[in-house]
Amino acid sequence: MSATDRLIRIVLADDHPVVRIGVRNMLSAHPGFEVVGEASDGDEAITQTLELEPDILLLDVQMPRLPGLEAMRAIMNGTPTVKIILLTSTITTQQIIEALQIGARGIVLKDALADHLQTSIRTVIAGDYWIGGKRVVNLVSALHTLMQQAAVPQRKTYGLTPRELEVVGCIVEGCSNRDIAKQFTLSEETVKRHLSNIFDKTGVSTRLELALFAIAHTLVTPS
């Protein structure tokens, strides 16, 4: 059996049993994969990986007791030969950079598991990386690109809270105070207070001015 055809031993670490069952079923549908251990938290992930020494650790980023990235640090100190693929529902560019710097070999979004899981594992076993839903050969170049993306300044929010930004979005859509109150289960008095704060922070005095200000300064995402 060649290196590319040999059985790939996998430890699966995710705190949701349904996810573990789903991933195990996906892998069992293809020859060449063997799930040799499972873990439901970060500490178990470390123990299983150090004891079983798998080829691949599929590691959920959001784990109880010990977060995925912290578990990965411990594992890379103890078993640096294991190749770790992170499973996540959502991840920031900064988290991807940190994960790769610690030693992750791949990142797979959970909503793309059916499409990418098998390919990502084989890619990583072959010595490459799996980032952004594709094979990456040059990690240095990929990291450079990610760091450029992470350096892009975030849009200015003028000190508005997340809820105030939601209210601004409603104003742009032409909602009344009653509409906004109903949408967010607030009293109309609370909505008025939000609007007063928003007017103070943005320096506008009418709903129309606020709507124009929000569009001009990209406070709302175009629908």
Side-chain angles (χ1 to χ4, degrees), residues 21-144:
I21 292 168
V23 170
R24 183 186 278 275
N25 288 342
M26 285 181 206
L27 294 173
S28 65
H30 301 278
F33 301 114
E34 181 186 10
V35 177
V36 296
E38 293 187 17
S40 59
D41 62 51
D43 286 338
E44 280 185 11
I46 295 171
T47 303
Q48 290 279 307
T49 305
L50 296 182
E51 286 182 358
L52 298 170
E53 297 188 349
D55 302 302
I56 293 283
L57 168 62
L58 297 176
L59 178 64
D60 183 17
V61 173
Q62 302 294 334
M63 293 280 275
R65 295 182 67 185
L66 193 65
L69 292 185
E70 293 309 310
M72 185 165 65
R73 287 184 200 276
I75 290 165
M76 293 310 295
N77 287 334
T79 312
T81 55
V82 67
K83 293 178 168 64
I84 299 176
I85 296 175
L86 294 178
L87 307 181
T88 181
S89 299
T90 179
I91 191 167
T92 65
T93 301
Q94 196 58 51
Q95 285 175 317
I96 293 174
I97 293 169
E98 184 182 356
L100 293 171
Q101 289 173 332
I102 295 170
R105 300 300 294 256
I107 294 107
V108 178
L109 293 176
K110 288 185 177 180
D111 61 7
L113 276 173
D115 296 325
H116 294 164
L117 183 60
Q118 181 195 177
T119 309
S120 67
I121 292 172
R122 295 203 181 279
T123 295
V124 166
I125 285 293
D128 293 330
Y129 292 78
W130 186 268
I131 309 167
K134 61 185 178 182
R135 178 187 294 262
V136 171
V137 178
N138 188 330
L139 180 62
V140 173
S141 175
L143 269 174
H144 180 66

Side-chain angles (χ1 to χ4, degrees), residues 181-197:
K182 186 176 181 181
Q183 181 168 336
F184 298 116
T185 321
L186 303 171
S187 68
E188 289 190 47
E189 196 58 43
T190 300
V191 174
K192 288 177 184 176
R193 196 158 56 246
H194 280 315
L195 278 172
S196 178
N197 291 336

